[in-house]
Amino acid sequence: MLEPVQYLLGAASGSVVGFTLGLVGGGGSILAVPLMVYLVGVASPHVAIGTSALAVAANAGANLIPHARQGTIKWRCAGMYAFAGVLGAYGGSTLGKAFDGQHLLFLFALLMLVVGALMLRNRGNFGKSRRSVPARKCPQGHCLWQRDGTVLGLLRHWRRLPDRAWPHGLHRHADD
């Protein structure tokens, strides 16, 4: 059972996570799990991961509303990515139960380092991809995105990588 101060710390942490997710479109789980374990005091990493999944999903849902109103969502792309991500997240969460919580935190820290390195790697080419796939070639792109989305979904925390961090340097034309 958490103490009242832990609930206050959880509320403060949740608002920071929600603000960051809304501002930059990512960082939800990257921030939520460590904050829950090390600041709020959730003893089990498994409980922190499961709790953050619900909290981040709610934050992402709230983030979706203004973007939908502004027309800044590529719905078909989002649907394909979400479908692959849901499959990957289910597989990853099932597999994660087989690991000790401390090992999961170690893997999580390793993942954060890899994501950070990928994001910093090609900073000079921000927004530029090596190639692009027109919308008419969607089935071919879909297969690539589904494979990458599933693999990244297994890692659970890479749902919103910027274009510069996508494997293969692939991004879609605006006519999606």
Side-chain angles (χ1 to χ4, degrees):
M1 183 77 157
L2 296 177
E3 299 292 323
V5 71
Q6 290 174 297
Y7 285 107
L8 291 173
L9 289 170
S13 299
S15 69
V16 168
V17 169
F19 177 79
T20 304
L21 184 61
L23 180 66
V24 297
S29 294
I30 295 277
L31 295 172
V33 171
L35 286 170
M36 283 189 187
V37 171
Y38 300 113
L39 181 67
V40 177
V42 175
S44 167
H46 289 282
V47 172
I49 291 168
T51 304
S52 75
L54 174 61
V56 171
N59 290 337
N63 188 22
L64 173 68
I65 295 167
H67 283 285
R69 287 183 179 156
Q70 293 173 351
T72 57
I73 299 172
K74 293 183 177 186
W75 291 100
R76 194 166 75 185
C77 172
M80 289 186 288
Y81 194 78
F83 176 75
V86 164
L87 294 176
Y90 183 79
S93 66
T94 302
L95 182 64
K97 291 176 185 69
F99 288 92
D100 173 66
Q102 293 305 311
H103 288 113
L104 282 177
L105 290 178
F106 175 76
L107 291 172
F108 186 80
L110 211 58
L111 175 63
M112 288 193 296
L113 291 172
V114 169
V115 170
L118 285 172
M119 291 180 74
L120 292 174
R121 193 179 80 193
N122 289 321
R123 287 178 51 165
N125 294 329
F126 180 72
K128 298 177 185 173
S129 67
R130 289 173 280 186
R131 62 187 162 200
S132 64
V133 176
R136 67 184 174 278
K137 300 214 182 210
C138 182
Q140 190 176 44
H142 170 66
C143 294
L144 180 65
W145 284 9
Q146 186 170 9
R147 182 194 72 211
D148 290 342
T150 301
V151 169
L152 298 178
L154 281 171
L155 297 174
R156 185 171 134 10
H157 302 286
W158 281 11
R159 290 188 199 139
R160 292 176 163 245
L161 283 177
D163 280 343
R164 67 182 178 275
W166 268 93
H168 317 292
L170 180 71
H171 91 249
R172 303 274 311 229
H173 285 296
D175 64 348
D176 186 26

